[in-house]
Amino acid sequence: MLEIIGDSHIIALAEATKQISFTSRHGQLRIAQMGHGYNFLEPFFSVENDAVAFTQPPAKAIFQKINPDHPAVICRDDPRRFVFMFGLYPSFGINEKHWTTHTAALWSADRQFVSENGFNAIIDHTLNEPLSFFRTLVSMNVDFSVASCCPVPASYQRLAGKTQFADGEIAFIYNRFRDRATALLGDLGVACHHPPASVYDEDGAMFDVFAKQPGDYHANVEYGRLMLEKILLEVEQS
């Protein structure tokens, strides 16, 4: 059993399952959105008797629904193979009010600069909850990896009216967050699935052709197909 579960960026992958065939040594593929990215930055799980349970009602109900023939918790030495699509979720960076007075972009002179170490501290604090979850699963010998959300579309900053940011700053935030989260997961021995290189433009943003719609930072089904194929290939190779 291969289960890909997580936040709203899973929707593009779920839609893509109608376009591609799937065979795996892990068996049947089950895929579901269990919440939004910020839900997994808040307390969302508990541990009891060598089992991890999702505690937020929507996630708990959905995990149970997609596992009618398996436990509604994740157990030590769980026979399922998981891909979690949360943790590499940098959207907090474009919604937090502190970026109106501070900036992570060295080329922006209109706000107080936040150093790489300072920004890493913000990221580390933000990731406390998902990293605790992943650390727990590692200690329980659960087979899993973590998938990134899509990059920010190239035109998002302009179309969403994020006027406080310098040119290219949102893509920079996304990629800095992705790289820091990947390094932290790497320290735990956890593999990450990154977006395909072909979806990035020269500035590190996602080509608009892959955007769900103008002004949205989610991706469409074509991106979902590319990302799902990449995840499935990397899972098979692991």
Side-chain angles (χ1 to χ4, degrees), residues 126-201:
T126 302
L127 290 177
N128 275 341
E129 193 69 15
L131 281 177
S132 178
F133 175 79
F134 297 138
R135 194 176 296 112
T136 299
L137 296 189
V138 169
S139 72
M140 293 170 52
N141 196 37
V142 175
D143 192 7
F144 74 97
S145 50
V146 177
S148 174
C149 70
C150 66
V152 64
S155 64
Y156 173 78
Q157 183 168 321
R158 174 176 54 83
L159 295 176
K162 302 291 182 177
T163 58
Q164 74 268 34
F165 293 101
D167 289 344
E169 186 173 358
I170 292 182
F172 178 79
I173 287 172
Y174 261 62
N175 296 333
R176 172 72 68 78
F177 192 105
R178 176 203 61 205
D179 294 346
R180 178 64 175 177
T182 298
L184 294 171
L185 288 165
D187 290 342
L188 298 177
V190 176
C192 295
H193 307 288
H194 291 144
S198 60
V199 307
Y200 285 95
D201 68 13

Side-chain angles (χ1 to χ4, degrees), residues 191-231:
C192 295
H193 307 288
H194 291 144
S198 60
V199 307
Y200 285 95
D201 68 13
E202 60 184 7
D203 298 318
M206 183 172 71
F207 289 112
D208 287 329
V209 68
F210 295 113
K212 182 177 182 179
Q213 60 188 25
D216 195 330
Y217 56 79
H218 290 82
N220 60 21
V221 66
E222 178 58 21
Y223 172 89
R225 182 184 64 80
L226 293 174
M227 185 63 178
L228 181 59
E229 288 177 341
K230 187 172 186 288
I231 289 172

Side-chain angles (χ1 to χ4, degrees), residues 2-3 23-24 30 48 57 87 98 107 131 142 168 200 211 214-215 221 238:
L2 173 61
E3 299 194 4
T23 57
S24 170
R30 296 180 183 177
E48 186 175 356
H98 60 240
W107 62 91
L131 281 177
V142 175
Y200 285 95
V221 66
S238 63

Side-chain angles (χ1 to χ4, degrees), residues 71-165:
V73 295
I74 301 175
C75 308
R76 178 176 292 277
D77 301 315
D78 201 294
R80 293 164 289 190
R81 172 63 162 85
F82 296 98
V83 177
F84 299 106
M85 185 169 267
F86 58 80
L88 276 74
Y89 175 77
S91 300
F92 86 99
I94 58 177
N95 294 320
E96 289 294 326
K97 292 181 179 179
H98 60 240
W99 294 121
T100 62
T101 56
H102 291 70
T103 179
L106 187 61
W107 62 91
S108 179
D110 61 336
R111 289 161 288 151
Q112 178 65 44
F113 176 65
V114 178
S115 69
E116 181 173 354
N117 286 339
F119 193 27
N120 284 346
I122 295 172
I123 297 169
D124 294 356
H125 176 74
T126 302
L127 290 177
N128 275 341
E129 193 69 15
L131 281 177
S132 178
F133 175 79
F134 297 138
R135 194 176 296 112
T136 299
L137 296 189
V138 169
S139 72
M140 293 170 52
N141 196 37
V142 175
D143 192 7
F144 74 97
S145 50
V146 177
S148 174
C149 70
C150 66
V152 64
S155 64
Y156 173 78
Q157 183 168 321
R158 174 176 54 83
L159 295 176
K162 302 291 182 177
T163 58
Q164 74 268 34
F165 293 101

Side-chain angles (χ1 to χ4, degrees), residues 20-95:
I20 66 175
S21 59
F22 167 76
T23 57
S24 170
R25 60 188 172 88
H26 297 288
Q28 184 183 11
L29 171 64
R30 296 180 183 177
I31 183 167
Q33 179 193 357
M34 294 174 54
H36 296 284
Y38 53 79
N39 293 133
F40 299 101
L41 302 180
E42 304 166 349
F44 68 91
F45 74 98
S46 63
V47 184
E48 186 175 356
N49 297 327
D50 261 357
V52 174
F54 294 98
T55 54
Q56 295 177 354
K60 184 176 181 180
I62 292 169
F63 191 70
Q64 184 173 11
K65 181 178 180 180
I66 67 170
N67 284 288
D69 49 355
H70 286 80
V73 295
I74 301 175
C75 308
R76 178 176 292 277
D77 301 315
D78 201 294
R80 293 164 289 190
R81 172 63 162 85
F82 296 98
V83 177
F84 299 106
M85 185 169 267
F86 58 80
L88 276 74
Y89 175 77
S91 300
F92 86 99
I94 58 177
N95 294 320

